[in-house]
Amino acid sequence: MSDYQTFEHDVLVIGAGGAGLSAAVKASAAGVKVAVVSKSLLGKAHTVMAEGGMAAAMGNVDDRDNWKVHFADTMRGGQYLNNWRMAQLHAQEAPDRVRELEQWGAIFDRTKEGKILQRNFGGHRYPRLAHVGDRTGLEMIRTLQDHGIHQGIDFHMEVTILTLLMDAGRVVGAFGYDRERGRFRIFRANAIILATGGIGRAYKITSNSWEYTADGHALAYRAGAELLDMEFVQFHPTGMVWPPSVRGILVTEGVRGEGGVLRNKDGKRFMFEDIPANYKGQTADNEEEGWRYTQGDKEARRPPELLTRDHVARCIQREVREGRGSPHGGVFLDIAWIKERIPNAPDHIKRKLPSMYHQFKQLGDIDITKEAMEVGPTTHYMMGGVKVDAESQMSKVPGLFAAGECGAGLHGANRLGGNSLSDLLVFGHRAGQFAAKWAKEHTGGSVNNAQVEEAAREALAPFDREGGESPYAVHHDLQDLMQNLVGIVRVQKEMEQAVEGLQKLRARAEKVHVHGNREYNNGWHMAMDLPNMIEASEMIARSAIERKESRGAHFRDDFPDKTAEGASFNSIIKRGSNGEQVLERVPVTEMTAELKQIIEEMK
Amino acid sequence: MATATFKIWRGERGGGGYQDYTTEVTEGMVVLDAVHQIQAADANDLSVRWNCKAGKCGSCSAEINGKPRLMCMTRLNTLDLNGPVTVEPMKTFPHVKDLVTDVSWNYKVKEGIKKFKSDPNRAWNAQQADVDRPQEFRKCIECFLCQDVCHVLREHGLHDEFIGPRFFVYSAALEMNPFDSDDRLADLKDTQGIGYCNITKCCTQVCPEEIKITDNAIIPLKERVVDEFYDPLGKLFKIFR
Ligand SMILES: Cc1cc2nc3c(=O)[nH]c(=O)nc-3n(C[C@H](O)[C@H](O)[C@H](O)COP(=O)(O)OP(=O)(O)OC[C@H]3O[C@@H](n4cnc5c(N)ncnc54)[C@H](O)[C@@H]3O)c2cc1C
Ligand code: SF4
Ligand code: SF4
Ligand code: FES
């Protein structure tokens, strides 16, 4: 046995965002020994940044809402590539999970009747997002954290997992290092839950933090799991574009929900010019009606600014490409204009969108109550991830579970806003329960010393490679490549170039050199993150090449339409015997008659 | 090309010294951008914590020109760039390396505070006005800048007897949560040192979330402690209410 510090648990949770914490709390409640590891300190995971809210059909604001409507909305948003069983469980169980948060101390905004308040969001038929101002993610993570620390869970903060340890095809533990001292640790566990979040750092313009380096995706892939729907990367239409240092930071959809409009440099509301046929019936065809919708008029149809994220993002990109953009390469998002319609507009804006007001004022010197913002698309969310069983969240690899953004299935080709936070709760909960059960039933298995030593050697190699280049340089080039060649608008030739380029980056990543020692060495950490980002990037490019149509977040200039064939399959990537990525299509499974009927009724 | 010079603390576990780095300055930059540029170009192993780069996670706390602030929310155009800008780790916590400190004490303190306990007799129903105040406290991003600046910790080092402004805010959020039924006043008085706070309001001044820590959290808690333990009439009144 290696002399690295070893920790013994029944269930190991990798990740301390909403999904990881939910899972840990549930597993622990089931009576097993649980540890959570996370790259950051507790309470800092990406979940903390979520703004708008979590979707749950509680019907507090509009009693026409129920799980069936939520289910149908989610499937429509995902263009029917979703795992329908997951969409059903999610819609059915989200309300209980939200109430559970309240029972653990969360304080949501209230309706006049004193219930949890819910707000409108793109793609949701009724007001459905339980929220706390524009800081819902903070409320969620803090509640889970403050509850979780009293549940007998061991937390390992600032520890990064490098490898899953395997024995005869099943997971038996994980190997990683603590960021502070750079010392290795072994975690023994009968079941492991991946809750590592997304991949956004592979792109240059992104709303995601440094943690989003696709670790969970890569760990699962190397352990033999299948990765599903990797072509579907969500680009949020409105990120900040100016000044350069804030490029990509999110501007919440709430701005448009409150009446903000998109204009090009000629002052034109270009979204009215391109309303997809299947949304024509639900979309306002004049500015007046759109405005009334944002003010709660139930008879009015939504303004085209609130069409799905994929579509709005592409329209913005078109305006910019065709020379009608704003000075810094975006378009204008104007909320200040509502002063023409309502008294005290500046106060109203500050009250409804406090953190947006603050963000632009402080970071962009812009007063959004007076001036328009400049916005453009930003890499936001990964629909693709580890393929799991809908009920239990277990992957193909025995004992390996996944939940939250690093899992896949619920969102299909496009995620609706607000469906991620509820996803974390519902499937975090399930993963925790089933992992605990699995761990009790599957003890034994042993850590393979050779695997540990190999991982340790690989991790330390960058210190010895005198003359190698800096990991930051390789990361910089990776971000450029993915942004330019596998971005919002895709074509065959560019993506083939990307796959080629990624091989070169892989080779460069294997040769990077880092300076200094092992203590809190950010350069070294980056060197170890690089292979994960490159692995996932290649999966994205390969899956995107294979899907020769446009659907949801995946748009191909060379195949701009949806096809019947495209509706019939999901893409899967797994590891071939020589370590190469093997791509497969799996047929979309048929829904139950009950669910089909729901979809029909809600059309 | 405009440039600026940053004096960044480099070293481990209290040791080390300032090192000067000059980097390009472009429009809109914040201190964290400058630190990242320096890290990518000249100092790959420079240690710094950050996550959101938008003032939402509370990871990037440091002392900039001697003031406790978030690096990601400090614009360079608000600083005097004619001379060097100093960037150093928070002083109140044990130093780890460069700009990173060991803030684990805060996590331990929180575990010692009685957690939320729902009131079984109360329906899950509340008016917005009744939750406004605890919601203000729940905006806290745990940047620990208030802990860094509070003299009871910073100068007097009473970490064992005093939980600090962050955890008064935390306790106040629980005490004022209409759904909570526990009582934390005795702990605040006896083991958590609320009496040490002499209302200097330095904590309120540095809070990036603009929580009125002293006026809205600490003073009302102090008043409750007084009512509960030092004011027999008030207590009597409470019993018969
Ligand atoms: C600005 C912004 C706003 C958003 N707003 C909303 C919204 O309003 N509604 C909504 O539903 N969704 C929203 N989203 C999306 C949503 O916030 C995320 O999808 C979700 O929080 C992901 O949660 P998670 O638990 O899967 O992962 P995260 O919260 O990202 O947590 C990942 C965890 O895994 C850990 N980790 C990763 N790799 C490793 C490793 N190798 N070893 C150890 N630990 C590791 C990390 O340290 C972290 O603790 C928003 C996203 C952004 C960026
Ligand atoms: S007001 Fe009290 S808690 Fe705040 S800094 Fe002053 S002494 Fe510390
Ligand atoms: S109260 Fe304010 S200063 Fe203190 S930790 Fe919270 S956000 Fe930071
Ligand atoms: S990086 Fe999140 S607060 Fe500064």
Side-chain angles (χ1 to χ4, degrees):
Chain A
M1 198 65 197
S2 324
D3 51 3
Y4 305 121
Q5 207 179 357
T6 301
F7 300 85
E8 296 270 348
H9 294 93
D10 300 310
V11 174
L12 175 71
V13 182
I14 307 177
L21 292 175
S22 294
V25 166
K26 290 296 162 173
S28 173
V32 297
K33 239 181 120 204
V34 181
V36 175
V37 293
S38 69
K39 296 208 278 191
S40 294
L41 297 171
L42 207 47
K44 312 294 181 196
H46 214 72
T47 299
V48 80
M49 292 162 71
E51 292 160 2
M54 54 192 100
M58 298 190 286
N60 288 354
V61 172
D62 193 322
D63 60 14
R64 290 174 293 180
D65 203 12
N66 58 52
W67 77 263
K68 294 178 180 169
V69 193
H70 191 183
F71 166 76
D73 287 350
T74 302
M75 294 297 294
R76 188 185 310 112
Q79 309 254 0
Y80 304 101
L81 286 188
N82 325 51
N83 176 321
W84 49 263
R85 179 62 181 153
M86 281 176 83
Q88 178 186 16
L89 291 170
H90 170 251
Q92 288 173 329
E93 295 175 5
D96 280 348
R97 296 285 83 76
V98 172
R99 283 188 279 268
E100 190 168 55
L101 273 192
E102 188 170 59
Q103 286 153 18
W104 291 342
I107 308 180
F108 291 97
D109 288 354
R110 318 304 299 184
T111 66
K112 284 204 182 63
E113 298 76 41
K115 297 189 220 165
I116 293 173
L117 181 60
Q118 301 186 269
R119 66 158 50 119
N120 272 314
F121 234 58
H124 295 281
R125 180 170 300 193
Y126 302 119
R128 189 177 284 147
L129 268 64
H131 62 276
V132 185
D134 50 10
R135 57 160 190 86
T136 313
L138 171 63
E139 188 68 16
M140 175 168 178
I141 201 163
R142 197 68 79 231
T143 302
L144 291 167
Q145 170 190 350
D146 295 350
H147 181 72
I149 56 173
H150 297 282
Q151 306 306 306
I153 300 163
D154 282 339
F155 289 98
H156 296 259
M157 301 196 286
E158 299 199 305
V159 168
T160 304
I161 296 300
L162 290 167
T163 315
L164 300 178
L165 301 173
M166 311 295 293
D167 183 13
R170 64 169 277 206
V171 291
V172 291
F175 175 74
Y177 63 95
D178 74 280
R179 297 168 64 80
E180 187 177 324
R181 298 275 181 144
R183 285 182 299 215
F184 294 125
R185 295 186 189 182
I186 294 172
F187 298 89
R188 260 281 304 131
N190 300 329
I192 292 186
I193 302 173
L194 293 171
T196 52
I199 57 95
R201 292 311 285 180
Y203 286 83
K204 187 179 188 130
I205 302 175
T206 176
S207 66
N208 294 175
S209 85
W210 68 267
E211 292 196 303
Y212 268 24
T213 53
D215 296 3
H217 293 76
L219 291 172
Y221 168 79
R222 291 187 202 117
E226 295 174 334
L227 279 288
L228 177 72
D229 291 340
M230 292 296 287
E231 66 272 39
F232 297 114
V233 180
Q234 181 169 74
F235 298 92
H236 195 289
T238 58
M240 292 176 82
V241 298
W242 189 259
S245 71
V246 297
R247 190 158 194 143
I249 293 182
L250 195 74
V251 181
T252 174
E253 195 166 311
V255 176
R256 284 167 285 145
E258 297 296 339
V261 299
L262 292 167
R263 293 183 204 281
N264 63 19
K265 77 170 200 294
D266 308 319
K268 180 160 206 165
R269 278 182 69 181
F270 55 89
M271 288 305 301
F272 277 107
E273 285 162 23
D274 186 355
I275 300 171
N278 56 337
Y279 278 95
K280 273 237 152 69
Q282 307 178 10
T283 310
D285 55 13
N286 63 82
E287 302 194 3
E288 183 56 37
E289 184 180 358
W291 165 250
R292 280 193 283 117
Y293 174 89
T294 63
Q295 300 310 297
D297 181 343
K298 286 188 177 157
E299 303 303 311
R301 294 171 298 177
R302 64 181 59 228
E305 274 88 356
L306 287 174
L307 284 163
T308 50
R309 289 178 175 176
D310 50 320
H311 180 72
V312 180
R314 278 193 297 278
C315 290
I316 292 175
Q317 183 154 21
R318 182 198 60 219
E319 291 303 303
V320 176
R321 267 196 186 178
E322 294 175 7
R324 294 186 295 275
S326 64
H328 302 104
V331 295
F332 294 106
L333 171 61
D334 187 6
I335 181 83
W337 83 279
I338 67 172
K339 61 178 177 268
E340 298 165 19
R341 298 294 180 122
I342 54 173
N344 296 329
D347 288 339
H348 177 81
I349 294 167
K350 281 184 221 169
R351 192 154 34 81
K352 289 284 185 179
L353 302 161
S355 98
M356 284 304 112
Y357 174 77
H358 197 66
Q359 184 173 311
F360 274 91
K361 188 96 189 150
Q362 213 155 337
L363 296 175
D365 280 330
I366 281 177
D367 180 345
I368 66 169
T369 70
K370 298 205 179 85
E371 297 166 75
M373 303 158 242
E374 277 186 78
V375 296
T378 181
T379 313
H380 186 57
Y381 184 86
M382 185 58 183
M383 269 75 74
V386 183
K387 184 169 188 287
V388 290
D389 170 62
E391 316 284 330
S392 69
Q393 300 290 292
M394 190 159 90
S395 71
K396 260 267 164 75
V397 179
L400 182 64
F401 298 73
E405 192 168 338
C406 75
L410 171 60
H411 308 293
N414 182 41
R415 173 182 73 96
L416 298 185
N419 267 2
S420 170
L421 292 187
S422 42
D423 169 9
L424 312 182
L425 295 175
V426 169
F427 293 107
H429 173 108
R430 285 184 161 264
Q433 278 182 334
F434 283 91
K437 183 162 178 288
W438 171 277
K440 285 186 205 162
E441 292 164 359
H442 298 82
T443 52
S446 57
V447 169
N448 174 344
N449 213 24
Q451 198 196 349
V452 169
E453 287 311 329
E454 170 64 15
R457 200 192 50 73
E458 236 175 75
L460 293 176
F463 286 108
D464 304 328
R465 297 186 198 118
E466 285 304 332
E469 64 181 320
S470 145
Y472 292 96
V474 179
H475 184 223
H476 181 269
D477 291 353
L478 169 69
Q479 291 186 309
D480 269 348
L481 176 139
M482 289 304 284
Q483 189 74 35
N484 296 334
L485 303 180
V486 202
I488 305 180
V489 175
R490 302 167 171 179
V491 292
Q492 185 80 15
K493 218 171 118 237
E494 291 183 353
M495 292 190 289
E496 283 166 1
Q497 265 176 9
V499 171
E500 240 182 80
L502 285 165
Q503 307 315 321
K504 291 189 192 124
L505 285 170
R506 214 186 262 274
R508 283 171 62 192
E510 279 165 15
K511 293 200 203 84
V512 294
H513 173 56
V514 298
H515 301 270
N517 62 24
R518 286 161 67 170
E519 303 218 346
Y520 221 108
N521 185 337
N522 288 166
W524 181 41
H525 303 159
M526 169 65 84
M528 291 183 280
D529 292 343
L530 275 175
N532 297 340
M533 276 187 279
I534 295 172
E535 197 73 74
S537 297
E538 189 177 328
M539 294 185 211
I540 296 169
R542 285 192 188 278
S543 302
I545 288 172
E546 177 70 9
R547 187 169 286 281
K548 296 189 172 31
E549 63 153 358
S550 293
R551 180 179 298 271
H554 171 68
F555 183 82
R556 297 216 20 184
D557 223 13
D558 43 358
F559 300 98
D561 299 312
K562 263 191 278 210
T563 65
E565 191 204 12
S568 71
F569 74 95
N570 295 89
S571 324
I572 278 182
I573 289 199
K574 56 186 177 198
R575 194 169 199 222
S577 47
N578 298 318
E580 80 288 5
Q581 296 190 357
V582 178
L583 192 112
E584 267 173 31
R585 291 176 168 199
V586 291
V588 169
T589 58
E590 204 173 323
M591 257 182 261
T592 60
E594 185 206 1
L595 295 181
K596 266 192 199 154
Q597 197 190 336
I598 292 172
I599 300 240
E600 249 343 278
E601 281 166 13
M602 305 286 168
K603 268 225 161 101
Chain B
M1 183 178 89
T3 61
T5 300
F6 292 81
K7 269 181 147 17
I8 299 181
W9 190 269
R10 297 298 311 267
E12 282 158 42
R13 305 196 190 262
Y18 295 108
Q19 200 154 320
D20 283 4
Y21 298 93
T22 300
T23 193
E24 193 184 341
V25 173
T26 51
E27 189 174 339
M29 261 170 72
V30 294
V31 171
L32 185 63
D33 293 319
V35 171
H36 278 157
Q37 264 174 224
I38 290 163
Q39 187 186 49
D42 311 314
N44 282 189
D45 61 342
L46 171 62
S47 315
V48 55
R49 277 198 188 104
W50 69 283
N51 276 56
C52 68
K53 215 173 155 313
K56 294 194 166 96
C57 72
S59 301
C60 64
S61 305
E63 298 187 6
I64 300 166
N65 288 340
K67 275 216 198 90
R69 304 181 71 166
L70 296 177
M71 285 185 271
C72 72
M73 295 304 276
T74 305
R75 291 277 298 271
L76 294 186
N77 66 2
T78 62
L79 302 171
D80 177 8
L81 299 183
N82 291 318
V85 174
T86 58
V87 187
E88 57 200 317
M90 289 192 283
K91 286 215 180 61
T92 297
F93 307 112
H95 187 219
V96 175
K97 183 172 162 235
D98 304 337
L99 299 176
V100 173
T101 55
D102 175 1
V103 292
S104 58
W105 172 77
N106 292 287
Y107 290 87
K108 270 190 224 96
V109 168
K110 188 187 261 184
E111 281 173 31
I113 298 171
K114 285 188 200 158
K115 69 167 183 158
F116 173 77
K117 186 168 146 204
S118 62
D119 177 349
N121 300 317
R122 194 182 195 295
W124 293 98
N125 193 293
Q127 288 302 307
Q128 184 61 42
D130 298 329
V131 300
D132 278 341
R133 189 40 47 86
Q135 280 188 336
E136 176 193 354
F137 303 144
R138 292 181 67 85
K139 285 195 307 189
C140 169
I141 56 175
E142 301 202 327
C143 64
F144 308 128
L145 289 171
C146 56
Q147 307 286 72
D148 184 43
V149 82
C150 177
H151 69 101
V152 183
L153 299 168
R154 191 180 177 102
E155 268 123 52
H156 305 287
L158 295 178
H159 293 67
D160 294 335
E161 302 164 55
F162 180 73
I163 59 177
R166 158 57 190 137
F167 294 104
F168 296 135
V169 168
Y170 177 71
S171 301
L174 288 163
E175 287 293 299
M176 296 182 203
N177 183 334
F179 301 118
D180 179 79
S181 65
D182 220 327
D183 184 339
R184 298 163 189 83
L185 296 178
D187 291 348
L188 282 165
K189 174 171 83 66
D190 298 333
T191 57
Q192 298 172 348
I194 195 165
Y196 285 118
C197 163
N198 55 347
I199 321 190
T200 59
K201 300 200 186 186
C202 311
C203 50
T204 304
Q205 277 163 22
V206 300
C207 177
E209 285 292 311
E210 298 178 2
I211 299 169
K212 301 240 171 352
I213 302 176
T214 330
D215 289 351
N216 291 350
I218 298 180
I219 293 176
L221 284 181
K222 278 177 174 275
E223 285 169 358
R224 288 182 185 204
V225 168
V226 169
D227 284 353
E228 180 87 10
F229 299 103
Y230 302 108
D231 177 3
L233 249 165
K235 193 165 182 189
L236 216 62
F237 179 70
K238 236 176 133 179
I239 290 169
F240 288 107
R241 202 164 45 162

